[in-house]
């Protein structure tokens, strides 16, 4: 009996030690600066979300966010006294971006993630590089302009975006009786509207404007007049707890945002033809963003 008890106790102890080791490994913070110095590479996550990040016709990763992150890499190399810092581009989706950060597959997500209180539980945000409002796109023939116009209808959203919780919240608050249809990608969500399978697709207004402009029939769509959300900041995400890296990133971004080249970067992606897209957004820099670039701060708007 005593031998059996000791065996059971030692087995339980061994399992506890093993689980503790697994848990410790899972919560170990990756020292990005140390890894950058050793490898000379920065792992950048990008998406299929023009004008922020996308692949052009030659397969090059380009975009507004990418331009900024390329300059960020140059400044990090200077800060760390490296001869150079190569960028490794890693594709990510709205649903796996935080997972790729935590696993170390990417060091920074250079796209356009909304900086919200809920999302800051999973990742740190660098200084914002754009501000958006969330609206919906619908077929122009539907003549939908307000949220009440969607009452009792279906709305698509992309999984992993804050738009899922936003549309669910407004659905409850206004008792709209919406049917929310989550899908994996932005294009899938847009295609559901194009095919008439849902009434609308809720997303950041600038991304919807881009998707409308590059669709086969831009005149067939209309953005809602009513916004689903207040103005929200977009930013680059880095790992929670990776504070030294985040500090270096924000220091470099301050230099970039306050430099004379920042207005030129903006103009290239929002007021000139998009490479490989054949469209021009013609979106002027908002007063809020212009003021932010004069004195960048890390105070989210929620």
């Amino acid at each position: 009996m005593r031998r059996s008890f000791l065996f059971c106790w030692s087995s339980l102890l061994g399992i506890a030690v093993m689980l503790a080791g697994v848990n410790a490994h899972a919560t170990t913070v990756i020292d990005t600066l140390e890894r950058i110095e050793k490898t000379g590479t920065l792992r950048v996550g990008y998406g299929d979300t023009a004008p922020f990040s996308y692949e052009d016709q030659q397969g090059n990763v380009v975009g507004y966010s990418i331009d900024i992150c390329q300059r960020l890499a140059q400044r990090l190399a200077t800060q760390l006294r490296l001869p150079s810092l190569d960028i490794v581009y890693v594709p990510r989706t709205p649903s796996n971006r935080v997972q790729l950060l935590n696993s170390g597959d990417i060091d920074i997500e250079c796209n356009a993630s909304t900086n919200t209180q809920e999302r800051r539980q999973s990742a740190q945000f660098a200084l914002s590089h754009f501000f958006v409002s969330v609206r919906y796109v619908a077929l122009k023939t539907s003549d939908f302009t307000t949220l009440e116009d969607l009452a009792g209808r279906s709305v698509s959203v992309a999984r992993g975006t804050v738009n899922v919780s936003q549309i669910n919240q407004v659905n409850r608050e206004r008792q709209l009786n919406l049917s929310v249809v989550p899908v994996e990608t932005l294009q899938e969500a847009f295609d559901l509207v194009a095919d008439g399978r849902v009434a609308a697709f809720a997303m950041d207004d600038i991304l919807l404007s881009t998707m409308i402009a590059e669709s086969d029939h831009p005149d067939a769509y209309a953005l809602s007049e009513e916004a689903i959300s207040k103005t929200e900041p977009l930013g680059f995400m880095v790992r929670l707890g990776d504070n030294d890296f985040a500090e270096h990133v924000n220091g470099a971004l301050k230099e970039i945002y306050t430099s004379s080249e920042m207005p030129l970067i903006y103009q290239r992606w929002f007021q000139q033809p998009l490479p490989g897209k054949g469209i021009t957004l013609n979106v002027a820099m908002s007063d809020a963003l212009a003021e932010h670039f004069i004195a960048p701060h890390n105070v989210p708007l929620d």
Side-chain angles (χ1 to χ4, degrees):
M1 178 71 70
R2 177 177 174 81
R3 182 179 299 172
S4 176
F5 172 79
L6 289 175
F7 174 78
C8 291
W9 174 251
S10 62
S11 298
L12 289 173
L13 182 60
I15 293 172
V17 170
M18 181 179 66
L19 291 176
V22 170
N23 186 60
H25 175 73
T27 58
T28 298
V29 175
I30 298 171
D31 190 329
T32 305
L33 291 181
E34 181 179 329
R35 190 166 74 177
I36 287 174
E37 290 177 319
K38 288 181 178 179
T39 65
T41 60
L42 178 69
R43 303 178 191 189
V44 168
Y46 73 96
D48 183 18
T49 46
F52 296 97
S53 68
Y54 65 99
E55 291 186 20
D56 65 13
Q57 293 172 321
Q58 288 72 45
N60 300 311
V61 180
V62 298
Y64 172 66
S65 299
I66 299 302
D67 261 13
I68 295 173
C69 280
Q70 287 173 347
R71 288 162 174 78
L72 167 65
Q74 293 170 1
R75 282 167 170 78
L76 287 176
T78 300
Q79 291 175 6
L80 300 175
R81 299 179 181 177
L82 300 175
S84 63
L85 182 57
D86 295 328
I87 295 178
V88 176
Y89 292 107
V90 181
R92 103 297 171 261
T93 66
S95 58
N96 73 3
R97 50 188 158 183
V98 173
Q99 177 185 342
L100 291 178
L101 272 175
N102 291 335
S103 66
D105 289 305
I106 62 176
D107 300 316
I108 183 169
E109 190 222 19
C110 289
N111 195 53
S113 291
T114 309
N115 184 349
T116 66
Q117 183 176 3
E118 179 181 0
R119 191 166 279 160
R120 290 194 298 277
Q121 305 302 310
S122 304
Q124 292 188 74
F125 276 83
L127 294 168
S128 299
H129 63 305
F130 203 79
F131 297 114
V132 297
S133 292
V134 175
R135 299 180 187 272
Y136 68 78
V137 62
L139 292 173
K140 191 174 289 185
T141 54
S142 300
D143 197 27
F144 297 150
T145 60
T146 68
L147 285 168
E148 272 64 31
D149 290 337
L150 297 180
R153 304 180 189 275
S154 55
V155 179
S156 60
V157 289
R159 288 191 179 95
T161 66
V162 298
N163 313 115
V164 178
S165 59
Q166 288 169 331
I167 200 70
N168 282 327
Q169 180 178 347
V170 77
N171 190 22
R172 291 191 303 269
E173 292 176 349
R174 299 204 190 181
Q175 299 180 339
L176 297 175
N177 193 32
L178 299 175
S179 175
V180 180
V181 182
V183 294
E184 288 302 318
T185 69
L186 305 185
Q187 191 60 53
E188 285 180 76
F190 188 89
D191 289 344
L192 289 177
V193 176
D195 297 340
R197 288 181 285 169
V198 300
F201 163 37
M203 189 60 198
D204 299 345
D205 50 11
I206 186 64
L207 296 180
L208 290 178
S209 296
T210 305
M211 297 183 79
I212 291 172
E214 63 180 335
S215 68
D216 293 335
H217 305 286
D219 293 339
Y221 305 96
L223 278 182
S224 62
E225 295 177 2
E226 183 179 6
I228 296 173
S229 74
K230 62 184 180 181
T231 300
E232 298 175 316
L234 304 182
F236 305 139
M237 294 196 299
V238 300
R239 275 180 289 278
L240 275 180
D242 205 355
N243 298 329
D244 288 345
F245 178 58
E247 184 177 346
H248 277 71
V249 167
N250 279 335
L253 289 179
K254 276 188 177 182
E255 294 179 5
I256 296 168
Y257 293 163
T258 57
S259 71
S260 59
E261 65 179 341
M262 193 62 218
L264 300 178
I265 297 173
Y266 183 94
Q267 289 171 13
R268 179 185 180 193
W269 297 102
F270 293 96
Q271 298 176 307
Q272 296 176 11
L274 292 179
K277 295 291 185 181
I279 60 173
T280 303
L281 298 178
N282 288 321
V283 176
M285 185 182 295
S286 67
D287 291 341
L289 187 60
E291 292 173 5
H292 174 71
F293 286 154
I294 292 172
H297 56 87
N298 207 18
V299 180
L301 300 183
D302 63 352

